[in-house]
Structure formats: C-alpha cells, structure tokens
C-alpha cells in the first residue's frame, strides 16, 4: 500500500465536526427540555389527546439521530504501549571500527574514505551505535538472507516486547501496518509477522515501502484511519529500516552520506480504540498531519535510490536537501499551527505577515513559540545538520532538542523509528506527566514532512518502564563536541 494523498482530511473538517456536534447537542437539549419534569400521568394525557402516529414518528426520528451521532463521531485512538529494539552488545560498533570495515572492503577510493571520515567526525553520532552482523563479516554481506536476518531480529524483538509490556495476545490484533522503505522482500514483512506470531486469518495487513524516514508517521495515520471504521479494535504498527541492504559500497559522493548515519533499530506500537482502554493507555492521538511536496521536481529528486556509474545501487542525497526540508516543514506547520497554538501566538503570526506584506519586508517573520503548544519535541534524528536547522527554525532550546540529539548520538539514524527512541528517552528521564503534549516530526523522501501530536494520559514513572535507555539513562545527556577527530590509521 502506498498512499499518495498526504493530507489528513480529519484536520480539514475538525472545526466543522465540532460545530456539528454542538448543533446536535443544542437541538437535543431543546427537544428534551420539556421532558425534564415529565411524569407517567403526563404521558397518559398525551396519548389520550395527541396523535399517536405523530408521537411514534418523532420518537423514532430522535432515536435515529442519537444513533447516527454516536456511530459517526470520531473514535479516540489510544497508544497502549510501544517498544524500541535494542541490538545485542556484540553489534556495537565505534566510528573508527566502521571506518576500518569500509577500508577493508576494498570498494572505496582514498577520497571516498576520507570524505566519510570527515562526515563521521562531525555527524553527532557516538561510538555505541549498532550495525548488522552482516556488516562486520569478512567480506561484508549484502544478500537477501543476511538482510532478512537483520530485520527479523529487529521487528520480531520489538513486537515480542510490546506484547509483553501491554499484556496482549497476538490473536487480539486485527490491524497490522508495517513500514520499511528500502528492503521489501516477498512475502512481505507484514506476511512474515503474521506467520511468526500466528495472527488471525481476517487481520487487515498493510505494507508501506519506499516512503522514507517519515513513513512511521504515515503508518500511524493509516492505522488511525482504519480504527475509525473498525470499532473495538487493536492495531499493531511496526517501523524499521534495513542497514544491510541500505549500505552503499561505491564512490559516488552523493550516496556516501547514508553510510555514516544509518544504524540498526526499529519500533513496535500498539494502538486501540476501545473506550475502556483509556485508563491503561499511555497516550491519546490528537492529530496526524501529512505534507507532501512531491509535485515539485526539486523536492521529488532530493532523496533518490539509483545506480552509480558502476551500477552499484545507493541512496543519493541532493545538496539542496536542507532547503527542501525547510519548505516542507513550513507547509506542515502552517497547517498544524492553527490547531495547536494559543490565540495570542496566532495573532502575533498574523500581525507579522500583514506588516511584511503591506508595510516593509524589513520586519522579520515571527516564529511562533511552539513551546506554548507542546511540552516535548521528538524530531527525526536524521543527522546533526538536520537537527541544527530544525532547532533554529522552531526556536527551540537545548532541553527541547535533547531527546533527538541523544538518540542520534546513542543509536544513530534509525530512520522512521527514531521518533520512538526519542519518546522513550523522555520517558526514561521521568519527564512525561499527565496532560503533557508531544510533537513528533518526521521527514522523508518524496519529499514529505509529517507530524503527530499525542497527549499523555498518565505520569510515566521510569522505575517501572522497560525501554532501551533504562540501564544507561544516568549517562545522559552528554556534551557533544562539534568535531570528534578519528585516527588517521582507520583509513
């Protein structure tokens, strides 16, 4: 499944839906007002003196309207729990060791090795990130068997953990949405999950491919849309990427960047629309908002899988990637802002726009204070340059950026699952309190910028949590150097 319409229709008529609900409630109150002091004697008098047919029609009309209201109102979507996969200690690989692996392949020129070394030194990625075992083999393995083994370990491990944490059985799951951008074997990952965990035969399964690092938000949105039409249902969302197939063994500079950033990781998220699950869920999904800039050629081509001059496949990143990401973010937040910002901030934004349009361009555009709308920010850990640009664009402080920067440092770029490692970091730090609002922002090929907004339904106590940060959270945050020199002997 590859949805092309990236705009969430729910957000477009949210206010209309609220107005309709209020209108219905007002109409209902008017109808029921005379019956507030109604007695059996009154009912007998009406039956004697009024047309019974009229009363019957009115009663059925009222019942129909009430039924229609409750059937068509938006079902709340809850996040029961989520799990982030933590690779085994033998997969930890320092930057210097990775450079030695690259040099040992014999596939890279001296210039390509020096370029990757330079990028790693200022990447914001630490020395405890994890790579697939196939990458540490001699020679490096890139076949289907090795790639499948990597992803199976990740997604099966994450699913087993989330089922254990939530106390759910695999047979309870009726919706399954999986996203993996680069590696999509046959049978699909959703089919492999169904086989491994013996899901029910009528499970609704979807497999999203080629949608980049923002596909995790898309997967949640797909599950949300399905939960609106399937009452009392559990949905499992799985986000992962494959480093074995994603690594590039060539010398096209535009394709080398992914080698320096992407690492092993994945997440599984369990959603529910059961009203009774409110009390045991962690979060409620408030908004999903998807923005697609693919109609613009520059945006469409800025992240592209292709062959280099020697026929080696890789992901090419264009030089204008940051500019494209900035435009996509601008489009996304221009739609999100009216839904989440207080009126005082919206007024300042409008005033700034009017001043720039009708008076002078010298007036600086007003950057809304999103810290008034959200307590926590989870920005895709795509790289240090991405985080620096987003921090500047959103005017965020170091505390707001800490989950994203620490995730990049400890786990690297885990693609679409990075948003969940960031939320897990905030939980491990004991920062999530009842009523807190969380903004997750993902960027990906296409080019897309997608957002999710969650509301915490309880205080998250780190002492009872199980996530990949728990046994080392006391070591964070760390001070990140702007430049971390690697030994010249690595190349």
């Amino acid at each position: 499944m590859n949805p092309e319409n990236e705009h969430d229709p729910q957000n477009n008529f949210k206010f209309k839906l609220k107005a309709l609900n209020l209108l219905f409630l007002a109409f209902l109150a008017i109808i029921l007002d005379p019956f507030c002091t109604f007695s059996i004697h009154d009912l007998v008098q009406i039956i004697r003196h009024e047309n019974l047919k009229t009363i019957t029609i009115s009663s059925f009309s009222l019942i129909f309207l009430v039924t229609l209201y409750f059937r068509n109102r938006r079902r709340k979507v809850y996040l029961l729990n989520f799990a982030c996969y933590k690779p085994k200690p033998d997969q930890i690989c320092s930057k210097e060791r990775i450079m030695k692996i690259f040099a040992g392949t014999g596939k890279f020129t001296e210039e390509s090795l020096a370029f990757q070394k330079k990028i790693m030194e200022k990447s914001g990625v630490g020395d405890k990130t994890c790579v697939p075992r196939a990458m540490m083999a001699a020679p490096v393995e890139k076949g289907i068997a090795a790639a499948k083994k990597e992803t199976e370990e990740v997604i099966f491990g994450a699913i087993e953990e989330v089922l254990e944490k939530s106390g759910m059985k695999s047979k309870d799951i009726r919706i399954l949405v999986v996203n993996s951008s680069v590696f999509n074997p046959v049978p699909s990952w959703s089919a492999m999950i169904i086989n491994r965990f013996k899901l029910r035969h009528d499970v609704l399964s979807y497999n999203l491919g080629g949608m980049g690092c923002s596909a995790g938000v898309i997967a949640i949105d797909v599950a949300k849309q399905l939960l609106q039409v399937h009452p009392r249902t559990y949905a499992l969302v799985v986000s992962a990427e494959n480093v074995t197939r994603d690594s590039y063994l060539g010398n096209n500079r535009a394709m080398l960047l992914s080698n320096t950033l992407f690492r092993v990781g994945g997440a599984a998220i369990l959603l529910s629309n059961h009203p009774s699950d409110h009390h045991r869920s962690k979060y409620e999904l408030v908004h999903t908002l998807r923005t697609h800039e693919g109609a613009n050629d520059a945006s469409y081509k800025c992240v592209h899988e292709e062959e280099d001059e020697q026929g080696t496949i890789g992901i090419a990143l264009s030089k204008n990637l940051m500019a494209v990401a900035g435009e996509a973010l601008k489009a996304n937040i221009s739609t999100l802002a009216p839904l989440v910002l207080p009126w005082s901030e919206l007024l300042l934004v409008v005033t700034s726009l009017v001043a720039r349009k009708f008076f002078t361009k010298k007036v600086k555009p007003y950057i809304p204070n999103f810290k008034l709308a959200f307590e926590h920010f989870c920005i895709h850990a795509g790289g240090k340059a991405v985080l620096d640009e987003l921090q500047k664009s959103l005017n965020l402080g170091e505390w707001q950026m800490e989950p994203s920067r620490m995730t990049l440092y400890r786990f690297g770029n885990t693609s679409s699952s990075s948003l969940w490692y960031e939320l897990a970091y905030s939980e491990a730090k004991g920062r999530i309190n009842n009523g807190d609002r969380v903004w997750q922002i993902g960027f990906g090929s296409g080019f897309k910028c997608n957002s999710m907004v969650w509301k915490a339904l309880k205080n998250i106590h780190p002492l009872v949590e199980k996530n990949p940060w728990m046994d080392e959270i006391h070591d964070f945050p760390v001070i990140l150097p702007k430049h971390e020199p690697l030994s010249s002997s690595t190349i």
Side-chain angles (χ1 to χ4, degrees), residues 29 34 57 62 78 104 109 122 135 191 198 203 229 250-252 270 290-291 317 321 372 385 406 439 442 458 487:
I57 293 174
L62 180 60
Y78 302 111
T109 64
K122 55 182 181 180
M135 187 173 172
K198 308 304 178 188
V203 64
V229 295
N251 293 288
N252 185 317
L270 193 59
R290 294 158 54 181
T291 305
L317 306 179
L321 175 61
L372 297 176
M406 293 305 104
W439 184 14
K458 62 175 71 173
S487 171

Side-chain angles (χ1 to χ4, degrees), residues 220-259:
I220 293 289
D221 183 61
V222 170
K224 181 190 77 172
Q225 303 288 358
L226 291 167
L227 287 170
Q228 293 306 312
V229 295
H230 296 280
R232 300 184 179 278
T233 300
Y234 292 105
L236 176 64
V237 176
V238 182
S239 296
E241 196 49 83
N242 191 277
V243 179
T244 300
R245 298 285 280 188
D246 194 35
S247 58
Y248 169 66
L249 302 181
N251 293 288
N252 185 317
R253 183 165 289 198
M255 299 181 180
L256 291 171
L257 194 62
S258 60
N259 288 346

